[in-house]
Amino acid sequence: LLAGLGDSVLRSERIADTLACRGFAAHGFDYPGWGMSQRDAGLGSTCLPGYVHHWGKDICEEVLHFTKRVKQAYPPETKVFIFAASIGGATALRSCIL
């Protein structure tokens, strides 16, 4: 699950629950500087809330890394889908072409 601009994946909890009830595993994360990732700002995090220097490098590469980690947890033939809202959709599309 990918959130929209300035949003948190926590707002997708109902979607995740619906998917889980239908037999899908649902995973998601917050972009650096947004949502729950902001909680680390006082602990020395290098992320400024809402600031992204280069979306392709700072965000899309993180999406690809996260997707790879999720896929490793399941059999190789398992299909992976990305459900996204707003800029999360653009992130998903951009990640596909990297």
Side-chain angles (χ1 to χ4, degrees), residues 54-70:
H54 187 277
W55 198 266
K57 182 172 177 55
D58 298 340
I59 303 299
C60 295
E61 286 183 8
E62 290 294 322
V63 169
L64 292 173
H65 177 72
F66 179 77
T67 304
K68 183 178 179 180
R69 286 184 33 223
V70 168

Side-chain angles (χ1 to χ4, degrees), residues 10 16 18 37 49 52 72 84 86-89 91 96:
L10 294 177
T18 300
S37 72
V52 175
Q72 290 174 344
S86 184
I87 203 163
T91 303
C96 289

